[in-house]
Amino acid sequence: FGLNAGASATVGGALELSSGAGASGGAVSVSAASGTAKGGDVAIGGGSASAGTAGAVSVESGSSSTAEGGSIALASGSGATTGGSMSVTGGFGDESGGDVRMES
């Protein structure tokens, strides 16, 4: 199954995946299938640019004006021999490298 937006010489088509609004908003779940030899991968990436600014990737939880804000959890998998790794890296730049910021 493939889900693609159209290509163009000037501006490529946008792709939006969203759930419905309601008293409790609908959930959106993206997952890969399990396998006996290897589970499927999930990759999220911004587009590259040969001239100009590359696309960004943003992960953001919801805000609430009357209750708790949404959380974001990142976790690597457990393994019988070795647990999964996690790395956060700022990008390389000729003039300045990208920052990595963690705030509480």
Side-chain angles (χ1 to χ4, degrees):
F1 172 72
L3 181 62
N4 298 295
S8 169
T10 54
V11 178
L15 182 64
E16 180 178 325
L17 177 64
S18 61
S19 63
S24 292
V28 175
S29 176
V30 177
S31 61
S34 298
T36 55
K38 181 182 183 303
D41 298 328
V42 174
I44 299 173
S48 297
S50 58
T53 303
V57 174
S58 176
V59 177
E60 184 176 335
S61 64
S63 299
S64 172
S65 57
T66 60
E68 296 178 15
S71 298
I72 295 176
L74 300 174
S76 58
S78 299
T81 57
T82 304
S85 298
M86 182 179 295
S87 63
V88 179
T89 307
F92 171 81
D94 286 336
E95 295 180 19
S96 177
D99 295 332
V100 174
R101 295 186 185 128
M102 296 185 145
E103 298 179 18
S104 171

